[in-house]
Amino acid sequence: MNDELRALYQEVIIDHGRRPRNSKKLEHPSCTQEGYNPLCGDRLTLYLRIDDNRIIDASFEGEGCAISMAASSLMTERIKNMTVTEARQLFTAFQNLVTQAEPPDNIREYLGKLSVLGGVRDFPVRIKCATLPWHALNACLNNINTKQIVSTE
Amino acid sequence: MSLVDRPAEHGSLPLNKVDWPAIRRDFPLLAQKPYNKPLAYLDNAATTQKPNSVIDSIAHFYRFDNANVHRGIYQLSERATATFEAARDKIQCFLNARLREEIIFVRGATEAINLVAQSYARPRFKSGDEILISAIEHHSNIVPWQMVCKQTGAQLKVIPINDNGEIMLDSYQALLSEKTKIVAITHLSNALGSIAPVQRMITMAHARGIPVLLDGAQAAPHLRINLQALDCEFYTFSSHKIYGPTGVGVLYGKKSYLDAMEPYQGGGEMISRVSFESSDYNGLPYKFEAGTPNIAGVVGLAAALDYINTIGLDNICQREQQLLDYATKALEQTAGLRIIGQAKHKASIISFVLDSAHPHDISTILDQQGVAIRAGHHCAMPVMTRFNVPATARASFSFYNNESDIEQLVQSLRLVNKIFTIKNG
């Protein structure tokens, strides 16, 4: 296995991909958002419970590749108890991680465990897999019409 | 020496005498080494690679013969026209169509289906009419009919398939009725490899006077097509899936049907007289060929059919069946692998899922090993729904593939299993 593949399929990703955390329907969510990647058929529904501008709980239901499932699992773990403002900042930082050629060290430190998904940089067609739950999150936070499915296309 | 330099009668050689390694060398792209690994190109159902003779014919056309067709009163234009129309004859012969004017050049199989949907179906169909397709169609043979349904109030009916991915003929019989106005089915499924029992289906439709369109995008590269024997009303195929260039395809239609249809698009070439008050349409086939056609593409397609004839379609069919059998056995040995679509009559397309990994992850890892496969819904989402999978991995083989490509695929799948199971505990 070459270095790029090793970076893409780190143990954390395989683990979260197979045993995603927070994979359930949330009761009484304040926001529900579907995300869909029509290219590969990855589909997820993100549930957020936001109270007093803070994300009290987050979960998702869906089916997809190891990258999209791990991304959803790691994202929902991290955003719990964040304020909406902090979650927006996290979204921007994650976008920078997966799209910038050499993301600065402070972004990696800030993102912590989420940095394991930085390996998708070397696999342009897989960036959509990693960002699918993040686009759903962004739509929720920006109060986009939640009846509309967020698409990576 | 490339096979195309040899006499055409090599196409009549028995299978074991055909020089398959030499044939592979006719395809320059296959010599690439992605990631320093040999390229195992196994996405032939999406598009095929092009032999030197096709690439050279296009370059030759642009270097020496390029002019617009049917309109120049000078030698070069006459030569371009002659080359272009010779290609039509070649396609007529390849499909064994009765008349050359039954061969219409379009952009691809998708445009051919849209042409029939809009020019034949739309003006004739009305509310209560039914359009019959099958559960193994890809989007090109679903969406144009849905559009017609929206425009006319007709209804789309779907012939179900069994768990092997075969069309259920008894259900088909039950769906045929006086409401059915056209049957539009794929000759060969791109997602499963199933070959539809088209001859029987056409006979059954004709017994009720219903016309049939066959989508031959996948079938034309793998099967011998004899339109006079099949007797379908319409047949479509794409050049790029049969070793020719992209952007060109063919609609075959029975003359009586094409004559009765209004043009699909208006413009130059498809008219015989134009005034600001009205225009008279040209005769067949030009009535359906508005604008300057993809002349070089048509020339390249003719070269592709010449190339296929040098190998022989019977040899191609047999070689691809050998590869299908070899690959099926090899893949069945792979841990956790399940083949989706096990039709008795099948072409060299294998869709599969792995317990350990999603098709997208499989494709990424295989790519790094030099193996190009397709992962996804193959533009056939209803097929995926039928088998309750979000996506499949698909390996599709051409005569230029070989057993080493298949071994490379199988070894790479073992690596997928290793990556996803060791770490998984």
Side-chain angles (χ1 to χ4, degrees), chain B residues 258-265 269-271 281-290:
Chain B
L258 294 175
D259 274 337
M261 287 157 56
E262 288 286 300
Y264 176 53
Q265 293 173 331
E269 190 69 41
M270 50 72 72
I271 40 74
Y281 302 139
N282 207 340
L284 288 177
Y286 311 110
K287 185 170 82 172
F288 293 105
E289 293 180 355

Side-chain angles (χ1 to χ4, degrees), chain B residues 21-43:
Chain B
I23 287 171
R24 187 180 174 100
R25 287 195 294 275
D26 289 334
F27 292 81
L29 185 139
L30 297 175
Q32 282 184 35
K33 292 207 154 192
Y35 310 102
N36 267 331
K37 307 257 170 46
L39 172 64
Y41 182 77
L42 302 177
D43 196 15

Side-chain angles (χ1 to χ4, degrees), chain B residues 5-324:
Chain B
D5 300 328
R6 287 176 229 152
E9 57 263 30
H10 276 251
S12 58
L13 284 175
L15 187 69
N16 59 358
K17 298 282 185 202
V18 178
D19 190 349
W20 297 108
I23 287 171
R24 187 180 174 100
R25 287 195 294 275
D26 289 334
F27 292 81
L29 185 139
L30 297 175
Q32 282 184 35
K33 292 207 154 192
Y35 310 102
N36 267 331
K37 307 257 170 46
L39 172 64
Y41 182 77
L42 302 177
D43 196 15
N44 295 289
T47 196
T48 52
Q49 299 307 336
K50 320 304 172 196
N52 281 315
S53 61
V54 168
I55 299 166
D56 292 347
S57 74
I58 296 166
H60 184 277
F61 177 80
Y62 280 127
R63 283 214 170 88
F64 302 108
D65 296 332
N66 180 49
N68 213 327
V69 289
H70 301 135
R71 58 201 71 176
I73 314 297
Y74 50 91
Q75 191 204 40
L76 200 56
S77 176
E78 285 166 10
R79 199 159 71 221
T81 303
T83 309
F84 182 76
E85 290 302 329
R88 200 186 305 274
D89 295 330
K90 207 158 270 175
I91 290 153
Q92 179 201 348
C93 179
F94 183 76
L95 297 174
N96 192 27
R98 200 166 59 88
L99 303 165
R100 68 186 313 279
E101 57 261 43
E102 293 178 324
I103 305 299
I104 314 287
F105 289 120
V106 286
R107 282 187 302 142
T110 299
E111 186 174 46
I113 295 168
N114 276 282
L115 195 165
V116 177
Q118 290 303 312
S119 282
Y120 176 74
R122 187 179 183 180
R124 289 169 178 77
F125 295 6
K126 56 184 193 315
S127 180
D129 289 346
E130 291 177 358
I131 297 166
L132 208 48
I133 62 169
S134 84
I136 49 172
E137 302 309 323
H138 68 152
H139 300 164
S140 296
N141 199 32
I142 301 172
V143 184
W145 302 113
Q146 284 174 336
M147 290 165 74
V148 167
C149 288
K150 217 169 172 181
Q151 291 156 345
T152 64
Q155 258 199 314
L156 202 61
K157 295 278 172 177
V158 183
I159 312 159
I161 50 172
N162 63 21
D163 290 342
N164 289 330
E166 296 162 323
I167 285 176
M168 295 165 77
L169 283 175
D170 49 348
S171 305
Y172 171 58
Q173 181 71 65
L175 281 166
L176 286 170
S177 76
E178 66 280 2
K179 290 181 184 170
T180 315
K181 297 301 171 202
I182 195 166
V183 174
I185 43 169
T186 185
H187 194 168
L188 200 169
S189 156
N190 73 318
L192 305 174
S194 319
I195 299 170
V198 291
Q199 191 78 71
R200 287 182 67 188
M201 295 178 80
I202 292 166
T203 306
M204 288 159 76
H206 283 182
R208 287 179 167 270
I210 303 163
V212 176
L213 175 142
L214 292 185
D215 170 6
Q218 289 297 337
H222 301 289
L223 307 172
R224 185 178 290 284
I225 313 297
N226 180 349
L227 289 180
Q228 289 185 63
L230 278 174
D231 198 32
C232 56
E233 279 60 38
F234 300 103
Y235 198 91
T236 72
F237 75 94
S238 281
S239 157
H240 76 100
K241 291 192 200 289
I242 189 164
Y243 311 101
T246 54
V248 67
V250 167
L251 167 69
Y252 156 85
K254 278 185 185 170
K255 185 171 183 297
S256 57
Y257 277 77
L258 294 175
D259 274 337
M261 287 157 56
E262 288 286 300
Y264 176 53
Q265 293 173 331
E269 190 69 41
M270 50 72 72
I271 40 74
S272 57
R273 185 198 59 83
V274 175
S275 72
F276 284 117
E277 287 71 41
S278 67
S279 302
D280 295 333
Y281 302 139
N282 207 340
L284 288 177
Y286 311 110
K287 185 170 82 172
F288 293 105
E289 293 180 355
T292 298
N294 183 354
I295 309 168
V298 166
V299 168
L301 169 58
L305 300 185
D306 280 343
Y307 181 79
I308 284 170
N309 287 332
T310 65
I311 305 171
L313 255 172
D314 293 337
N315 280 332
I316 288 174
C317 297
Q318 285 181 60
R319 177 61 180 148
E320 290 177 347
Q321 281 298 318
Q322 271 183 350
L323 292 171
L324 175 67

Side-chain angles (χ1 to χ4, degrees), chain B residues 355-378:
Chain B
D355 284 345
S356 67
H358 187 277
H360 234 187
D361 297 311
I362 296 172
S363 183
T364 294
I365 294 168
L366 262 52
D367 173 49
Q368 299 272 312
Q369 306 305 308
V371 181
I373 60 152
R374 177 83 186 266
H377 50 62
H378 319 298

